[in-house]
Amino acid sequence: MNYKMNNQNEIPKLGYGVFKMENNDSSKNSILNALEAGYRHIDTAAIYGNEEQVGRAIKESGLKREEIFVTTKLWNEDMRQETEWDAINKSLELLQLDYVDLYLIHWPVKDKYINAYKKLEEMLEKGLSKNIGVSNFQINHLKELEEKTKIVPVVNQIELHPYLTQKELLNYCKEKNIIVEAWSPLGATKNDLLQNEVLKDIGKKYNKSVAQVMLRWDIENGVLPLPKSANKGRIEENFQIFDFSLSKEEIQLVDNLNKNERVGANPDTFTF
Ligand code: A2P
């Protein structure tokens, strides 16, 4: 149920994503549902505005701190303003935690992400985060990071789903021993992936839903999916992906669905 990262630390193979969840009780309850369903990995970010609810849910769950893997992310504006230390301290305060398990650079902000990452290296040293990594980095960003900083990021979190398989970047990360995490692993319902006939056929064979096939395909490819759902039934459904596997041919069939089609911003042209 865990991947081993390049620093030998472990990370649960599936995470619960909380993007777009509001800062209210209903979100806290969804997170509690996820913890109850078995998720032990929560992926938030300062910009999501819901770290407070993640913290409350963890407290209310009664689980021990070390049983839950918590990721949050440094927002772009904090890189531009060079307020990285304030940013992590604010996140920790909202999360009611002494440390996060993983702190990520949210987007490769031009001319800023190298210095920001150097600060993450210091945060790691100080124990504010147990691991550090990046998000939305392309190969050129990773190469620059390798040249100019010391610690290899443990993960790169990117948009990845069957219509955007990211083979080149995925292979590059594998070569460098960087785990790829998938955001919008279901296509965020902005495309027709959930109605895709190839995925439906594979699902029928295993009595699994299209969503479960997509998430299992991630696992087969060594990718760490971060599905989001506010619905208790679908939260549970998305966790039930460890009791079946896909054949080589089926993995290839899903790989072949690639259209290089994004549902979110492009890391080379984002404007926020
Ligand atoms: P809901 O919260 O109503 O379950 P992604 O993780 O790719 O960004 O996708 C998130 C979207 O997919 C949400 O709108 C969520 O809606 C929906 N979703 C999550 N899990 C499933 C599932 N198992 N089947 C269908 N839709 C799902």
Side-chain angles (χ1 to χ4, degrees), residues 16 86 93 137 150:
Y16 179 62
D86 292 342
E93 184 189 322
F137 272 42
K150 288 193 242 87

Side-chain angles (χ1 to χ4, degrees), residues 22-56:
E22 289 178 21
N23 196 25
N24 58 28
D25 275 354
S26 147
S27 300
K28 184 204 69 183
N29 290 332
S30 294
I31 300 162
L32 272 170
N33 283 333
L35 292 170
E36 208 163 290
Y39 294 76
R40 290 294 177 267
H41 176 175
I42 302 171
D43 184 273
T44 184
I47 193 67
Y48 300 170
N50 54 28
E51 289 168 312
E52 187 185 347
Q53 304 311 322
V54 174
R56 289 176 68 208

